[in-house]
Amino acid sequence: MIWTAFALLVGFMAIGIPIAAALLLLGVALGELYSPVPLVRAMGEIIWNTSTDPILIAIPLFVLMGEILIRSGITERMYHCMVQWISWLPGGLMHSNIAASAVFAATCGSSVATSATIGTVAAPQAPRFKYNERLFLGSIAAGGTLGILIPPSITLIVYGVLTDTSIPKLYLAGLLPGILLALAFMGAIAVLCSLVPSWRGLPIKASWRERQAAIVFLLPPIVLFTIVIGSIYAGWATPTESSAIGVVLATLLALFQGRLRLAMLLSAIEGTMRTSAMVLLIIVAAYFLNFVIASIGLTGEINKVILRLDPSPYQLLFAVIVFYIIVGFFVETLSIMVTTVPIIAPLVFQAGFDPVWFGVLMILLAETALITPPVGLNLFVVQGVRGRGSLNDVVIGVLPFLGVLLGFILIVIVYPEIVLWLPERLQ
């Protein structure tokens, strides 16, 4: 039964069926094959109950906030501010790619949007300033992964809904690891460019007067992040309410900077509808699939296999990590989470691991899937923005950052207080 389900899913994806449709078809197929009753009749009720969860309203609102920031030009100005301030480091603009991705992630919540936005601005600079283009592209793809870790992360919202874990606690838990991972990426760039000076690119000089003038472009996203996320931490607003506040503030920022136009708003709303429809369709399809899996006894069968092996807590955790890394080669990040977390998370919690800590670990594992071929979304986004050459250039360039990410996962396992310190202090 287990292998049948996996083979069907791989087969659907291999023939090019979109992931949401593949999950629905897999649920229908498993129900027809293994259930004595027509489970497909429950699809309508499951989809309705899932899609009316109030916390899911935060997803399209956070996406809309990011879309407004992108299309109003605030993000582009923020990137140029980063260039003025940190391009003197070994690796120059590559540090700006990571730093700008981290700041934009704090106002967007989407890795794909972060990679696309920063890539659009940054990618043309690689040949212009004679950087090692592979490493430069890799820094954009790796920086984009921060979008699902640094709050307000859409993926953390999904994990919180799936496991009934506090989203404010998850946001607190993701903040420090997100900052440390960004610094680790920048450290890797500095080391590589120090070892191979030809990778540094041409220096960009900026006077203190120019830097001070540019700092004003960094203030809007920082103020926006502080108000939106601070309102959650202070208990003044729920994640859904804070996302609505974020949309209003982003619109006001666009207005004050003279970028608010009807055409821009319509474009932002269209982009939001496309992204939100994709995310929510994957979620409702996965919920139906999970219902079918539980109904036909597949969840119990998996649990029996694991209990029969009687692994220690860390053996179980190691198996989970290996599973997610391997599956991440073939399945899109959000789909992995919504189909597997309801099955795996209870086993991990039962083994004694903290749900908030495991949520951040899950996000880090999802980040590896974003930058590993053949379906690493960030790789395709960066190559699409580049518009020339081979995808292999991006794949090769991202390898050092993938190594840093795997090493950071190990550090989080050995030192879980990196994740739990902030939620425990501010509880």
Side-chain angles (χ1 to χ4, degrees), residues 16-31:
I17 296 177
I19 185 64
L23 296 177
L24 278 174
L25 286 174
L26 179 59
V28 172
L30 291 177

Side-chain angles (χ1 to χ4, degrees), residues 45-345:
E45 182 177 356
I46 291 170
I47 291 176
W48 173 257
N49 290 336
T50 302
S51 59
T52 54
D53 190 333
I55 194 64
L56 293 180
I57 298 173
I59 293 177
L61 289 175
F62 276 132
V63 173
L64 179 58
M65 183 177 72
E67 288 280 346
I68 292 173
L69 293 176
I70 293 170
R71 298 175 192 279
S72 64
I74 294 173
T75 306
E76 183 176 349
R77 294 180 179 185
M78 176 197 69
Y79 178 80
H80 289 303
C81 174
M82 292 293 184
V83 170
Q84 300 286 341
W85 277 92
I86 62 176
S87 59
W88 57 270
L89 292 168
L93 289 179
M94 289 186 279
H95 294 287
S96 301
N97 296 343
I98 301 297
S101 295
V103 175
F104 184 69
T107 57
C108 172
S110 167
S111 284
V112 172
T114 302
S115 295
T117 303
I118 303 303
T120 301
V121 180
Q125 310 302 323
R128 179 184 175 189
F129 291 99
K130 303 187 185 306
Y131 281 90
N132 178 286
E133 193 165 12
R134 288 176 172 176
L135 187 64
F136 193 93
L137 296 171
S139 70
I140 300 172
T145 65
L146 300 170
I148 61 171
L149 180 57
I150 297 176
S153 164
I154 293 171
T155 312
L156 278 175
I157 293 176
V158 174
Y159 173 85
V161 171
L162 292 173
T163 61
D164 197 25
T165 304
S166 167
I167 292 174
K169 283 186 178 181
L170 288 169
Y171 275 5
L172 282 172
L175 185 59
L176 182 58
I179 294 171
L180 293 177
L181 183 57
L183 293 174
F185 285 156
M186 293 174 70
I189 292 170
V191 170
L192 289 171
C193 290
S194 297
L195 293 174
V196 189
S198 61
W199 291 1
R200 294 187 179 192
L202 299 177
I204 298 177
K205 296 180 180 180
S207 66
W208 281 105
R209 183 185 297 273
E210 291 172 328
R211 290 173 180 171
Q212 291 168 359
I215 199 69
V216 69
F217 299 132
L218 189 60
L219 292 179
I222 291 178
V223 170
L224 182 62
F225 171 80
T226 303
I227 295 175
V228 171
I229 303 302
S231 64
I232 298 175
Y233 296 159
W236 299 337
T238 65
T240 303
E241 292 166 345
S242 70
S243 64
I245 294 170
V247 171
V248 173
L249 291 176
T251 305
L252 290 175
L253 285 174
L255 176 63
F256 291 151
Q257 297 198 15
R259 299 294 186 95
L260 187 62
R261 301 286 187 275
L262 179 60
M264 183 274 287
L265 280 178
L266 291 176
S267 180
I269 292 171
E270 181 182 354
T272 300
M273 292 174 65
R274 290 178 183 274
T275 302
S276 301
M278 177 192 71
V279 171
L280 294 175
L281 186 56
I282 290 174
I283 291 173
V284 297
Y287 263 92
F288 174 69
L289 175 60
N290 291 333
F291 164 75
V292 172
I293 287 173
S295 299
I296 64 178
L298 184 56
T299 303
E301 190 174 314
I302 294 173
N303 290 343
K304 286 179 183 178
V305 171
I306 294 174
L307 292 175
R308 199 178 302 127
L309 295 173
D310 193 25
S312 69
Y314 281 96
Q315 285 175 334
L316 174 64
L317 185 64
F318 177 76
V320 168
I321 291 171
V322 171
F323 167 77
Y324 277 114
I325 289 175
I326 292 175
V327 173
F329 289 137
F330 309 103
V331 185
E332 186 269 331
T333 304
L334 186 62
S335 308
I336 297 173
M337 284 194 60
V338 293
T339 53
T340 61
V341 165
I343 299 172
I344 290 177

